Amino acid sequence: MKMLVVRNRLLPFRGFTAMNLFGMLLCRRDVALTPELIRHERIHTAQMMEMLVVGFYLWYVAEWLVRLLLPGRAYEAIAFEREAYDHMDEPDYLKRRRHYAWMRYLWARSE
């Protein structure tokens, strides 16, 4: 599965290497696109598809806002991100991934 890659100077914001916007990968011009980074973003695409895209973004922002009130870094605690980071080193993950796999990260403690 190919992913459209758009290199630019503005998105994602500083401190981030890439972002998935509606299945399109936005990255800074100097970012090395590793297989792990691509896989991380493809996991997000799978999450988007099962949440009908708009639901993904609504849930993402809502969870981030809630996690801002809790200890730790909000971004790193988002269930979508935790699933993607936990499995980005597994080449076959998307083939065996269960739908809504990110939900098991909602209540699990961060390491």
Side-chain angles (χ1 to χ4, degrees), residues 85-98:
Y85 279 111
D86 277 2
H87 299 285
M88 65 191 269
D89 295 324
E90 301 171 35
D92 65 334
Y93 179 68
L94 283 170
K95 291 178 186 169
R96 59 183 169 77
R97 179 185 180 269
R98 292 179 179 227

Side-chain angles (χ1 to χ4, degrees), residues 33-84:
L33 292 178
T34 65
E36 294 80 13
L37 176 61
I38 299 280
R39 196 170 305 116
H40 177 102
E41 298 304 333
R42 284 188 174 147
I43 292 169
H44 286 320
T45 299
Q47 294 163 340
M48 283 179 210
M49 295 299 104
E50 64 197 15
M51 296 288 293
L52 305 176
V53 183
V54 173
F56 171 85
Y57 289 108
L58 291 174
W59 189 284
Y60 194 106
V61 171
E63 187 177 347
W64 178 72
L65 289 171
V66 168
R67 293 192 182 276
L68 281 174
L69 304 172
L70 302 172
R73 292 199 54 206
Y75 165 77
E76 293 172 356
I78 295 170
F80 294 130
E81 293 300 341
R82 291 177 62 198
E83 180 194 5

Side-chain angles (χ1 to χ4, degrees), residues 3-42:
M3 179 175 265
L4 176 63
V5 176
V6 177
R7 292 184 177 273
N8 68 90
R9 287 186 214 149
L10 302 175
L11 291 173
F13 306 114
R14 292 199 189 279
F16 295 93
T17 56
M19 71 185 283
N20 187 331
L21 193 60
F22 303 104
M24 176 176 54
L25 182 62
L26 301 175
C27 62
R28 296 211 169 244
R29 291 182 176 172
D30 60 342
V31 168
L33 292 178
T34 65
E36 294 80 13
L37 176 61
I38 299 280
R39 196 170 305 116
H40 177 102
E41 298 304 333
R42 284 188 174 147

